[in-house]
Amino acid sequence: MAIDEFDDLEARYDFLTTQRRDLEESIKATGDAIARINRTTRERFRDAFEAINTHFQDTFSTLFGGGRAGLVLLDETDLLESGIEIIAQPPGKRLQNIQLLSGGEKALSAMALMFAIFRYKPSPFCLLDEIDAPLDEANIGRFVEMLRGMQSDTQFILVTHNRKTMEIADRLYGVTMEEPGVSKLISVQLGQA
């Protein structure tokens, strides 16, 4: 019986040894795949970050009519976990963190970043809800020009009350109240020149 028991245990040992080897190889292959994915992700993030930062600098300068801005990684050693700081210098002001800007400047800076991302990777459509509300007339004009320049790649759906922003639309949809308490939906197809 000892020989039969030995044969059974040896077969079990061989089976478990093979299973352990397969498991160790799987762990190593998974580790290699994770390292490769992280390497690729770092490269893609770095490329995207640099491109978006370049677009952001250009877009910021265009929307503000001057000035400069940029994106800064908080931890260059760990790209995948690093935070990003937005630095902005509107014309006539000193370079500072975006949190120190006025409400309108923050809104315009956020638009510059959004448009920079869209310039890097356009989306088929974008919904903007009252994005132009904090802007004055001069900034609205630059904002509208930026939208015009991006209309070939992205369809923008805007919720706005601003007349200048409405002027660039192909179609207008709205709600009117012809009688007190009775809302009516209207749509207007605008001719393209």
Side-chain angles (χ1 to χ4, degrees):
M1 284 179 51
I3 293 174
D4 290 339
E5 196 173 312
F6 174 78
D7 290 340
D8 289 343
L9 288 174
E10 184 176 39
R12 177 100 174 119
Y13 174 79
D14 290 342
F15 172 77
L16 291 175
T17 302
T18 302
Q19 292 294 312
R20 179 180 177 181
R21 191 177 323 111
D22 289 347
L23 187 58
E24 288 171 347
E25 288 173 6
S26 295
I27 290 170
K28 183 182 180 320
T30 302
D32 292 345
I34 290 170
R36 192 172 51 254
I37 289 168
N38 284 343
R39 188 173 43 255
T40 302
T41 303
R42 278 188 203 93
E43 290 169 6
R44 287 186 179 178
F45 177 81
R46 172 62 74 184
D47 293 344
F49 179 81
E50 289 172 359
I52 290 170
N53 193 18
T54 301
H55 291 312
F56 177 56
Q57 292 166 8
D58 295 339
T59 306
F60 182 91
S61 182
T62 300
L63 284 176
F64 275 89
R68 61 190 176 114
L71 304 173
V72 178
L73 289 171
L74 297 178
D75 183 4
E76 295 253 354
T77 60
D78 189 3
L79 295 179
L80 301 181
E81 296 294 326
S82 177
I84 298 173
E85 185 172 18
I86 300 171
I87 303 296
Q89 182 180 11
K93 293 196 172 185
R94 63 182 179 82
L95 194 63
Q96 57 192 350
N97 183 300
I98 193 169
Q99 296 300 325
L100 302 175
L101 298 176
S102 71
E105 291 169 335
K106 283 180 187 177
L108 210 54
S109 297
M111 285 179 212
L113 181 57
M114 180 193 67
F115 287 137
I117 293 169
F118 271 84
R119 285 175 65 190
Y120 173 71
K121 190 121 178 143
S123 175
F125 70 93
C126 176
L127 173 64
L128 302 173
D129 186 3
E130 296 286 346
I131 193 170
D132 55 354
L135 303 181
D136 60 15
E137 282 300 310
N139 290 329
I140 288 283
R142 289 191 292 269
F143 165 71
V144 166
E145 287 306 311
M146 182 71 62
L147 282 178
R148 277 194 180 116
M150 298 182 74
Q151 281 180 322
S152 62
D153 295 324
T154 302
Q155 178 181 1
F156 289 96
I157 302 166
L158 294 157
V159 176
T160 185
H161 291 96
N162 189 289
R163 181 189 52 80
K164 268 184 137 175
T165 305
M166 286 184 222
E167 287 174 359
I168 68 164
D170 299 332
R171 284 176 207 88
L172 292 175
Y173 298 96
V175 178
T176 185
M177 194 176 291
E178 292 177 359
E179 301 173 32
V182 179
S183 297
K184 180 180 177 185
L185 295 175
I186 58 167
S187 70
V188 178
Q189 173 75 32
L190 303 174
Q192 293 297 314

mmCIF file of all heavy atoms in Angstrom, residues 51-98:
data_model
loop_
_atom_site.group_PDB
_atom_site.id
_atom_site.type_symbol
_atom_site.label_atom_id
_atom_site.label_comp_id
_atom_site.label_asym_id
_atom_site.label_seq_id
_atom_site.Cartn_x
_atom_site.Cartn_y
_atom_site.Cartn_z
ATOM 1 N N ALA A 51 0.426 68.489 -25.772
ATOM 2 C CA ALA A 51 -0.389 69.045 -26.857
ATOM 3 C C ALA A 51 -1.487 69.951 -26.296
ATOM 4 O O ALA A 51 -1.717 71.060 -26.799
ATOM 5 C CB ALA A 51 -0.998 67.923 -27.695
ATOM 6 N N ILE A 52 -2.180 69.491 -25.259
ATOM 7 C CA ILE A 52 -3.256 70.293 -24.666
ATOM 8 C C ILE A 52 -2.683 71.565 -24.047
ATOM 9 O O ILE A 52 -3.272 72.639 -24.163
ATOM 10 C CB ILE A 52 -4.060 69.462 -23.642
ATOM 11 C CG1 ILE A 52 -4.874 68.397 -24.380
ATOM 12 C CG2 ILE A 52 -4.973 70.349 -22.794
ATOM 13 C CD1 ILE A 52 -5.513 67.364 -23.480
ATOM 14 N N ASN A 53 -1.519 71.466 -23.413
ATOM 15 C CA ASN A 53 -0.891 72.644 -22.826
ATOM 16 C C ASN A 53 -0.567 73.682 -23.907
ATOM 17 O O ASN A 53 -0.823 74.873 -23.729
ATOM 18 C CB ASN A 53 0.372 72.257 -22.060
ATOM 19 C CG ASN A 53 0.900 73.370 -21.184
ATOM 20 O OD1 ASN A 53 0.197 74.318 -20.862
ATOM 21 N ND2 ASN A 53 2.151 73.254 -20.790
ATOM 22 N N THR A 54 -0.047 73.229 -25.041
ATOM 23 C CA THR A 54 0.243 74.136 -26.162
ATOM 24 C C THR A 54 -1.043 74.780 -26.679
ATOM 25 O O THR A 54 -1.105 75.998 -26.878
ATOM 26 C CB THR A 54 0.951 73.379 -27.303
ATOM 27 O OG1 THR A 54 2.173 72.825 -26.792
ATOM 28 C CG2 THR A 54 1.261 74.283 -28.470
ATOM 29 N N HIS A 55 -2.083 73.968 -26.890
ATOM 30 C CA HIS A 55 -3.379 74.502 -27.331
ATOM 31 C C HIS A 55 -3.953 75.471 -26.293
ATOM 32 O O HIS A 55 -4.537 76.495 -26.650
ATOM 33 C CB HIS A 55 -4.381 73.383 -27.596
ATOM 34 C CG HIS A 55 -4.063 72.534 -28.783
ATOM 35 N ND1 HIS A 55 -3.725 73.033 -30.008
ATOM 36 C CD2 HIS A 55 -4.051 71.183 -28.923
ATOM 37 C CE1 HIS A 55 -3.510 72.049 -30.853
ATOM 38 N NE2 HIS A 55 -3.702 70.916 -30.214
ATOM 39 N N PHE A 56 -3.796 75.129 -25.004
ATOM 40 C CA PHE A 56 -4.315 75.980 -23.933
ATOM 41 C C PHE A 56 -3.633 77.347 -23.962
ATOM 42 O O PHE A 56 -4.293 78.385 -23.822
ATOM 43 C CB PHE A 56 -4.121 75.296 -22.576
ATOM 44 C CG PHE A 56 -4.562 76.121 -21.392
ATOM 45 C CD1 PHE A 56 -5.855 76.613 -21.299
ATOM 46 C CD2 PHE A 56 -3.682 76.392 -20.363
ATOM 47 C CE1 PHE A 56 -6.271 77.366 -20.212
ATOM 48 C CE2 PHE A 56 -4.087 77.147 -19.268
ATOM 49 C CZ PHE A 56 -5.378 77.629 -19.190
ATOM 50 N N GLN A 57 -2.334 77.355 -24.147
ATOM 51 C CA GLN A 57 -1.607 78.626 -24.199
ATOM 52 C C GLN A 57 -2.117 79.493 -25.343
ATOM 53 O O GLN A 57 -2.371 80.696 -25.162
ATOM 54 C CB GLN A 57 -0.102 78.358 -24.344
ATOM 55 C CG GLN A 57 0.508 77.721 -23.114
ATOM 56 C CD GLN A 57 1.891 77.152 -23.357
ATOM 57 O OE1 GLN A 57 2.494 77.350 -24.410
ATOM 58 N NE2 GLN A 57 2.413 76.431 -22.371
ATOM 59 N N ASP A 58 -2.305 78.875 -26.522
ATOM 60 C CA ASP A 58 -2.806 79.622 -27.683
ATOM 61 C C ASP A 58 -4.244 80.090 -27.474
ATOM 62 O O ASP A 58 -4.587 81.242 -27.742
ATOM 63 C CB ASP A 58 -2.747 78.756 -28.950
ATOM 64 C CG ASP A 58 -1.333 78.395 -29.344
ATOM 65 O OD1 ASP A 58 -0.389 79.093 -28.925
ATOM 66 O OD2 ASP A 58 -1.169 77.396 -30.071
ATOM 67 N N THR A 59 -5.090 79.178 -27.004
ATOM 68 C CA THR A 59 -6.507 79.488 -26.809
ATOM 69 C C THR A 59 -6.693 80.558 -25.736
ATOM 70 O O THR A 59 -7.506 81.470 -25.895
ATOM 71 C CB THR A 59 -7.277 78.207 -26.434
ATOM 72 O OG1 THR A 59 -7.031 77.208 -27.417
ATOM 73 C CG2 THR A 59 -8.761 78.455 -26.359
ATOM 74 N N PHE A 60 -5.938 80.456 -24.658
ATOM 75 C CA PHE A 60 -6.019 81.451 -23.583
ATOM 76 C C PHE A 60 -5.676 82.836 -24.130
ATOM 77 O O PHE A 60 -6.402 83.804 -23.905
ATOM 78 C CB PHE A 60 -5.054 81.076 -22.446
ATOM 79 C CG PHE A 60 -5.099 82.007 -21.268
ATOM 80 C CD1 PHE A 60 -5.950 81.763 -20.213
ATOM 81 C CD2 PHE A 60 -4.281 83.129 -21.216
ATOM 82 C CE1 PHE A 60 -6.006 82.616 -19.128
ATOM 83 C CE2 PHE A 60 -4.317 83.987 -20.138
ATOM 84 C CZ PHE A 60 -5.181 83.732 -19.081
ATOM 85 N N SER A 61 -4.578 82.905 -24.854
ATOM 86 C CA SER A 61 -4.141 84.184 -25.417
ATOM 87 C C SER A 61 -5.188 84.751 -26.381
ATOM 88 O O SER A 61 -5.445 85.955 -26.397
ATOM 89 C CB SER A 61 -2.804 83.997 -26.129
ATOM 90 O OG SER A 61 -2.346 85.209 -26.636
ATOM 91 N N THR A 62 -5.812 83.885 -27.166
ATOM 92 C CA THR A 62 -6.850 84.321 -28.100
ATOM 93 C C THR A 62 -8.086 84.829 -27.354
ATOM 94 O O THR A 62 -8.606 85.898 -27.651
ATOM 95 C CB THR A 62 -7.251 83.165 -29.041
ATOM 96 O OG1 THR A 62 -6.104 82.743 -29.767
ATOM 97 C CG2 THR A 62 -8.342 83.593 -29.999
ATOM 98 N N LEU A 63 -8.563 84.063 -26.375
ATOM 99 C CA LEU A 63 -9.777 84.448 -25.644
ATOM 100 C C LEU A 63 -9.576 85.698 -24.787
ATOM 101 O O LEU A 63 -10.498 86.484 -24.616
ATOM 102 C CB LEU A 63 -10.270 83.296 -24.770
ATOM 103 C CG LEU A 63 -10.982 82.152 -25.496
ATOM 104 C CD1 LEU A 63 -11.333 81.038 -24.523
ATOM 105 C CD2 LEU A 63 -12.228 82.641 -26.206
ATOM 106 N N PHE A 64 -8.377 85.871 -24.247
ATOM 107 C CA PHE A 64 -8.120 87.027 -23.398
ATOM 108 C C PHE A 64 -7.581 88.226 -24.185
ATOM 109 O O PHE A 64 -7.414 89.297 -23.619
ATOM 110 C CB PHE A 64 -7.127 86.673 -22.281
ATOM 111 C CG PHE A 64 -7.768 86.064 -21.073
ATOM 112 C CD1 PHE A 64 -7.957 84.696 -20.983
ATOM 113 C CD2 PHE A 64 -8.187 86.849 -20.024
ATOM 114 C CE1 PHE A 64 -8.542 84.132 -19.869
ATOM 115 C CE2 PHE A 64 -8.777 86.292 -18.895
ATOM 116 C CZ PHE A 64 -8.957 84.925 -18.818
ATOM 117 N N GLY A 65 -7.285 88.032 -25.459
ATOM 118 C CA GLY A 65 -6.706 89.120 -26.235
ATOM 119 C C GLY A 65 -5.294 89.436 -25.770
ATOM 120 O O GLY A 65 -4.853 90.570 -25.794
ATOM 121 N N GLY A 66 -4.575 88.412 -25.340
ATOM 122 C CA GLY A 66 -3.211 88.555 -24.829
ATOM 123 C C GLY A 66 -3.041 87.734 -23.573
ATOM 124 O O GLY A 66 -3.871 86.892 -23.240
ATOM 125 N N GLY A 67 -1.961 87.995 -22.861
ATOM 126 C CA GLY A 67 -1.679 87.249 -21.638
ATOM 127 C C GLY A 67 -1.074 85.898 -21.952
ATOM 128 O O GLY A 67 -0.804 85.568 -23.109
ATOM 129 N N ARG A 68 -0.866 85.126 -20.903
ATOM 130 C CA ARG A 68 -0.311 83.786 -21.086
ATOM 131 C C ARG A 68 -0.810 82.863 -19.986
ATOM 132 O O ARG A 68 -1.230 83.324 -18.921
ATOM 133 C CB ARG A 68 1.209 83.815 -21.134
ATOM 134 C CG ARG A 68 1.872 84.327 -19.895
ATOM 135 C CD ARG A 68 3.377 84.567 -20.114
ATOM 136 N NE ARG A 68 3.946 85.139 -18.913
ATOM 137 C CZ ARG A 68 4.827 84.512 -18.153
ATOM 138 N NH1 ARG A 68 5.249 83.295 -18.475
ATOM 139 N NH2 ARG A 68 5.305 85.085 -17.075
ATOM 140 N N ALA A 69 -0.762 81.584 -20.273
ATOM 141 C CA ALA A 69 -1.240 80.588 -19.315
ATOM 142 C C ALA A 69 -0.539 79.266 -19.575
ATOM 143 O O ALA A 69 0.109 79.087 -20.612
ATOM 144 C CB ALA A 69 -2.751 80.405 -19.445
ATOM 145 N N GLY A 70 -0.678 78.354 -18.663
ATOM 146 C CA GLY A 70 -0.078 77.040 -18.852
ATOM 147 C C GLY A 70 -0.578 76.059 -17.823
ATOM 148 O O GLY A 70 -1.193 76.421 -16.811
ATOM 149 N N LEU A 71 -0.298 74.797 -18.106
ATOM 150 C CA LEU A 71 -0.625 73.700 -17.204
ATOM 151 C C LEU A 71 0.678 73.181 -16.612
ATOM 152 O O LEU A 71 1.669 73.037 -17.338
ATOM 153 C CB LEU A 71 -1.332 72.576 -17.966
ATOM 154 C CG LEU A 71 -2.596 72.967 -18.718
ATOM 155 C CD1 LEU A 71 -3.098 71.798 -19.560
ATOM 156 C CD2 LEU A 71 -3.672 73.422 -17.752
ATOM 157 N N VAL A 72 0.676 72.893 -15.319
ATOM 158 C CA VAL A 72 1.878 72.427 -14.641
ATOM 159 C C VAL A 72 1.547 71.143 -13.889
ATOM 160 O O VAL A 72 0.555 71.091 -13.144
ATOM 161 C CB VAL A 72 2.389 73.499 -13.642
ATOM 162 C CG1 VAL A 72 3.612 73.000 -12.892
ATOM 163 C CG2 VAL A 72 2.679 74.805 -14.351
ATOM 164 N N LEU A 73 2.371 70.116 -14.077
ATOM 165 C CA LEU A 73 2.207 68.873 -13.317
ATOM 166 C C LEU A 73 2.728 69.092 -11.901
ATOM 167 O O LEU A 73 3.816 69.638 -11.711
ATOM 168 C CB LEU A 73 2.986 67.735 -13.981
ATOM 169 C CG LEU A 73 2.425 67.224 -15.298
ATOM 170 C CD1 LEU A 73 3.401 66.252 -15.951
ATOM 171 C CD2 LEU A 73 1.098 66.542 -15.074
ATOM 172 N N LEU A 74 1.980 68.660 -10.911
ATOM 173 C CA LEU A 74 2.394 68.829 -9.519
ATOM 174 C C LEU A 74 3.450 67.808 -9.115
ATOM 175 O O LEU A 74 4.244 68.058 -8.214
ATOM 176 C CB LEU A 74 1.184 68.739 -8.591
ATOM 177 C CG LEU A 74 0.135 69.841 -8.791
ATOM 178 C CD1 LEU A 74 -1.041 69.628 -7.860
ATOM 179 C CD2 LEU A 74 0.754 71.209 -8.586
ATOM 180 N N ASP A 75 3.460 66.637 -9.763
ATOM 181 C CA ASP A 75 4.458 65.598 -9.470
ATOM 182 C C ASP A 75 4.934 64.987 -10.778
ATOM 183 O O ASP A 75 4.330 64.046 -11.286
ATOM 184 C CB ASP A 75 3.846 64.530 -8.560
ATOM 185 C CG ASP A 75 4.835 63.453 -8.149
ATOM 186 O OD1 ASP A 75 6.031 63.560 -8.506
ATOM 187 O OD2 ASP A 75 4.421 62.492 -7.470
ATOM 188 N N GLU A 76 6.025 65.518 -11.319
ATOM 189 C CA GLU A 76 6.557 65.048 -12.609
ATOM 190 C C GLU A 76 7.050 63.606 -12.541
ATOM 191 O O GLU A 76 7.142 62.937 -13.557
ATOM 192 C CB GLU A 76 7.699 65.953 -13.077
ATOM 193 C CG GLU A 76 7.275 67.357 -13.387
ATOM 194 C CD GLU A 76 7.264 67.652 -14.870
ATOM 195 O OE1 GLU A 76 7.691 66.801 -15.667
ATOM 196 O OE2 GLU A 76 6.814 68.742 -15.213
ATOM 197 N N THR A 77 7.365 63.118 -11.334
ATOM 198 C CA THR A 77 7.911 61.769 -11.211
ATOM 199 C C THR A 77 6.837 60.696 -11.331
ATOM 200 O O THR A 77 7.142 59.552 -11.645
ATOM 201 C CB THR A 77 8.649 61.589 -9.864
ATOM 202 O OG1 THR A 77 7.724 61.817 -8.795
ATOM 203 C CG2 THR A 77 9.816 62.559 -9.761
ATOM 204 N N ASP A 78 5.587 61.047 -11.069
ATOM 205 C CA ASP A 78 4.495 60.073 -11.136
ATOM 206 C C ASP A 78 3.354 60.659 -11.966
ATOM 207 O O ASP A 78 2.372 61.170 -11.425
ATOM 208 C CB ASP A 78 4.018 59.713 -9.727
ATOM 209 C CG ASP A 78 3.033 58.551 -9.720
ATOM 210 O OD1 ASP A 78 2.758 57.988 -10.811
ATOM 211 O OD2 ASP A 78 2.535 58.206 -8.638
ATOM 212 N N LEU A 79 3.489 60.562 -13.279
ATOM 213 C CA LEU A 79 2.510 61.169 -14.184
ATOM 214 C C LEU A 79 1.101 60.644 -13.981
ATOM 215 O O LEU A 79 0.130 61.377 -14.145
ATOM 216 C CB LEU A 79 2.920 60.937 -15.640
ATOM 217 C CG LEU A 79 4.202 61.601 -16.112
ATOM 218 C CD1 LEU A 79 4.454 61.237 -17.572
ATOM 219 C CD2 LEU A 79 4.128 63.094 -15.947
ATOM 220 N N LEU A 80 0.978 59.365 -13.645
ATOM 221 C CA LEU A 80 -0.345 58.754 -13.559
ATOM 222 C C LEU A 80 -1.110 59.167 -12.302
ATOM 223 O O LEU A 80 -2.326 59.009 -12.242
ATOM 224 C CB LEU A 80 -0.229 57.230 -13.627
ATOM 225 C CG LEU A 80 0.422 56.684 -14.903
ATOM 226 C CD1 LEU A 80 0.462 55.162 -14.869
ATOM 227 C CD2 LEU A 80 -0.294 57.172 -16.139
ATOM 228 N N GLU A 81 -0.434 59.696 -11.307
ATOM 229 C CA GLU A 81 -1.088 60.108 -10.066
ATOM 230 C C GLU A 81 -0.965 61.608 -9.814
ATOM 231 O O GLU A 81 -1.505 62.122 -8.843
ATOM 232 C CB GLU A 81 -0.502 59.338 -8.878
ATOM 233 C CG GLU A 81 -0.732 57.846 -8.929
ATOM 234 C CD GLU A 81 -2.194 57.461 -8.810
ATOM 235 O OE1 GLU A 81 -2.941 58.149 -8.091
ATOM 236 O OE2 GLU A 81 -2.594 56.476 -9.441
ATOM 237 N N SER A 82 -0.248 62.308 -10.680
ATOM 238 C CA SER A 82 0.025 63.726 -10.476
ATOM 239 C C SER A 82 -1.218 64.584 -10.660
ATOM 240 O O SER A 82 -2.049 64.327 -11.518
ATOM 241 C CB SER A 82 1.096 64.196 -11.466
ATOM 242 O OG SER A 82 1.312 65.583 -11.332
ATOM 243 N N GLY A 83 -1.312 65.619 -9.865
ATOM 244 C CA GLY A 83 -2.339 66.629 -10.074
ATOM 245 C C GLY A 83 -1.837 67.622 -11.123
ATOM 246 O O GLY A 83 -0.663 67.621 -11.491
ATOM 247 N N ILE A 84 -2.742 68.471 -11.579
ATOM 248 C CA ILE A 84 -2.394 69.482 -12.580
ATOM 249 C C ILE A 84 -2.823 70.842 -12.048
ATOM 250 O O ILE A 84 -3.952 71.008 -11.594
ATOM 251 C CB ILE A 84 -3.084 69.196 -13.926
ATOM 252 C CG1 ILE A 84 -2.619 67.859 -14.480
ATOM 253 C CG2 ILE A 84 -2.820 70.317 -14.915
ATOM 254 C CD1 ILE A 84 -3.361 67.405 -15.715
ATOM 255 N N GLU A 85 -1.919 71.802 -12.105
ATOM 256 C CA GLU A 85 -2.222 73.166 -11.680
ATOM 257 C C GLU A 85 -2.353 74.039 -12.925
ATOM 258 O O GLU A 85 -1.580 73.891 -13.881
ATOM 259 C CB GLU A 85 -1.126 73.701 -10.779
ATOM 260 C CG GLU A 85 -1.439 75.060 -10.203
ATOM 261 C CD GLU A 85 -0.425 75.501 -9.152
ATOM 262 O OE1 GLU A 85 0.677 74.937 -9.094
ATOM 263 O OE2 GLU A 85 -0.764 76.418 -8.404
ATOM 264 N N ILE A 86 -3.327 74.934 -12.902
ATOM 265 C CA ILE A 86 -3.533 75.865 -14.011
ATOM 266 C C ILE A 86 -2.988 77.221 -13.575
ATOM 267 O O ILE A 86 -3.424 77.777 -12.568
ATOM 268 C CB ILE A 86 -5.030 75.978 -14.372
ATOM 269 C CG1 ILE A 86 -5.574 74.612 -14.773
ATOM 270 C CG2 ILE A 86 -5.232 76.996 -15.477
ATOM 271 C CD1 ILE A 86 -7.081 74.574 -14.940
ATOM 272 N N ILE A 87 -2.024 77.715 -14.345
ATOM 273 C CA ILE A 87 -1.421 79.018 -14.078
ATOM 274 C C ILE A 87 -1.893 79.969 -15.169
ATOM 275 O O ILE A 87 -1.887 79.617 -16.354
ATOM 276 C CB ILE A 87 0.123 78.928 -14.089
ATOM 277 C CG1 ILE A 87 0.619 77.899 -13.076
ATOM 278 C CG2 ILE A 87 0.750 80.282 -13.823
ATOM 279 C CD1 ILE A 87 0.309 78.226 -11.635
ATOM 280 N N ALA A 88 -2.298 81.180 -14.792
ATOM 281 C CA ALA A 88 -2.837 82.117 -15.778
ATOM 282 C C ALA A 88 -2.337 83.530 -15.501
ATOM 283 O O ALA A 88 -2.164 83.926 -14.348
ATOM 284 C CB ALA A 88 -4.359 82.092 -15.736
ATOM 285 N N GLN A 89 -2.126 84.261 -16.585
ATOM 286 C CA GLN A 89 -1.745 85.668 -16.490
ATOM 287 C C GLN A 89 -2.514 86.456 -17.536
ATOM 288 O O GLN A 89 -2.066 86.621 -18.669
ATOM 289 C CB GLN A 89 -0.235 85.846 -16.706
ATOM 290 C CG GLN A 89 0.200 87.283 -16.568
ATOM 291 C CD GLN A 89 1.698 87.441 -16.777
ATOM 292 O OE1 GLN A 89 2.374 86.533 -17.210
ATOM 293 N NE2 GLN A 89 2.203 88.609 -16.459
ATOM 294 N N PRO A 90 -3.715 86.922 -17.172
ATOM 295 C CA PRO A 90 -4.454 87.774 -18.103
ATOM 296 C C PRO A 90 -3.640 89.035 -18.391
ATOM 297 O O PRO A 90 -2.773 89.415 -17.606
ATOM 298 C CB PRO A 90 -5.740 88.113 -17.341
ATOM 299 C CG PRO A 90 -5.880 87.019 -16.323
ATOM 300 C CD PRO A 90 -4.473 86.662 -15.948
ATOM 301 N N PRO A 91 -3.914 89.704 -19.509
ATOM 302 C CA PRO A 91 -3.165 90.915 -19.848
ATOM 303 C C PRO A 91 -3.224 91.944 -18.716
ATOM 304 O O PRO A 91 -4.276 92.202 -18.146
ATOM 305 C CB PRO A 91 -3.887 91.460 -21.085
ATOM 306 C CG PRO A 91 -4.634 90.307 -21.637
ATOM 307 C CD PRO A 91 -4.943 89.406 -20.486
ATOM 308 N N GLY A 92 -2.054 92.477 -18.368
ATOM 309 C CA GLY A 92 -1.985 93.502 -17.336
ATOM 310 C C GLY A 92 -1.952 92.979 -15.918
ATOM 311 O O GLY A 92 -1.964 93.758 -14.974
ATOM 312 N N LYS A 93 -1.933 91.673 -15.719
ATOM 313 C CA LYS A 93 -1.891 91.097 -14.370
ATOM 314 C C LYS A 93 -0.643 90.238 -14.234
ATOM 315 O O LYS A 93 -0.018 89.868 -15.215
ATOM 316 C CB LYS A 93 -3.138 90.247 -14.105
ATOM 317 C CG LYS A 93 -4.413 91.059 -14.034
ATOM 318 C CD LYS A 93 -5.507 90.257 -13.406
ATOM 319 C CE LYS A 93 -6.720 91.151 -13.173
ATOM 320 N NZ LYS A 93 -7.762 90.444 -12.471
ATOM 321 N N ARG A 94 -0.331 89.890 -12.996
ATOM 322 C CA ARG A 94 0.840 89.029 -12.774
ATOM 323 C C ARG A 94 0.431 87.553 -12.871
ATOM 324 O O ARG A 94 -0.745 87.208 -12.692
ATOM 325 C CB ARG A 94 1.501 89.334 -11.438
ATOM 326 C CG ARG A 94 0.641 89.072 -10.238
ATOM 327 C CD ARG A 94 1.372 89.447 -8.940
ATOM 328 N NE ARG A 94 0.514 89.213 -7.797
ATOM 329 C CZ ARG A 94 0.336 88.033 -7.219
ATOM 330 N NH1 ARG A 94 0.974 86.980 -7.665
ATOM 331 N NH2 ARG A 94 -0.469 87.904 -6.185
ATOM 332 N N LEU A 95 1.410 86.698 -13.136
ATOM 333 C CA LEU A 95 1.183 85.257 -13.251
ATOM 334 C C LEU A 95 0.719 84.719 -11.907
ATOM 335 O O LEU A 95 1.338 84.991 -10.880
ATOM 336 C CB LEU A 95 2.483 84.571 -13.683
ATOM 337 C CG LEU A 95 2.390 83.139 -14.160
ATOM 338 C CD1 LEU A 95 1.542 83.054 -15.420
ATOM 339 C CD2 LEU A 95 3.775 82.586 -14.444
ATOM 340 N N GLN A 96 -0.397 83.955 -11.897
ATOM 341 C CA GLN A 96 -0.942 83.463 -10.639
ATOM 342 C C GLN A 96 -1.760 82.191 -10.850
ATOM 343 O O GLN A 96 -2.115 81.842 -11.960
ATOM 344 C CB GLN A 96 -1.808 84.531 -9.982
ATOM 345 C CG GLN A 96 -2.949 85.030 -10.844
ATOM 346 C CD GLN A 96 -3.599 86.284 -10.275
ATOM 347 O OE1 GLN A 96 -3.330 86.673 -9.153
ATOM 348 N NE2 GLN A 96 -4.452 86.911 -11.049
ATOM 349 N N ASN A 97 -2.057 81.541 -9.733
ATOM 350 C CA ASN A 97 -2.921 80.369 -9.752
ATOM 351 C C ASN A 97 -4.320 80.814 -10.173
ATOM 352 O O ASN A 97 -4.770 81.899 -9.814
ATOM 353 C CB ASN A 97 -2.947 79.748 -8.347
ATOM 354 C CG ASN A 97 -3.756 78.477 -8.285
ATOM 355 O OD1 ASN A 97 -4.948 78.469 -8.571
ATOM 356 N ND2 ASN A 97 -3.105 77.399 -7.914
ATOM 357 N N ILE A 98 -5.005 79.959 -10.892
ATOM 358 C CA ILE A 98 -6.334 80.302 -11.419
ATOM 359 C C ILE A 98 -7.334 80.626 -10.305
ATOM 360 O O ILE A 98 -8.264 81.397 -10.509
ATOM 361 C CB ILE A 98 -6.868 79.182 -12.336
ATOM 362 C CG1 ILE A 98 -8.068 79.674 -13.123
ATOM 363 C CG2 ILE A 98 -7.191 77.960 -11.554
ATOM 364 C CD1 ILE A 98 -8.500 78.764 -14.222
#
